[in-house]
Amino acid sequence: MAILGAASGRLTFLWLPVLYIVIEIVSYLTTYYTVDEADITIQKGLIKKRQL
């Protein structure tokens, strides 16, 4: 039983960097910049759109 727990912990540890990279790629692909004469608008979000 302890062997399964150790292997499972290692597997979770290996997936954390992959999950972080996927989240960063999605964040990059869902960020839009608009430059007007008066201001710069940043729109972020995949499901819930935010305007900064």
Side-chain angles (χ1 to χ4, degrees):
M1 186 74 91
I3 294 172
L4 288 176
S8 176
R10 250 183 288 152
L11 185 61
T12 302
F13 181 72
L14 292 175
W15 278 104
L16 287 176
V18 173
L19 180 63
Y20 175 76
I21 291 169
V22 169
I23 290 172
E24 289 299 316
I25 290 172
V26 170
S27 175
Y28 174 77
L29 292 175
T30 60
T31 301
Y32 303 97
Y33 300 91
T34 305
V35 180
D36 291 341
E37 294 176 4
D39 55 18
I40 299 172
T41 304
I42 304 170
Q43 294 179 342
K44 295 179 111 179
L46 181 63
I47 296 172
K48 183 179 178 184
K49 302 286 184 181
R50 292 184 301 162
Q51 188 169 351
L52 307 173

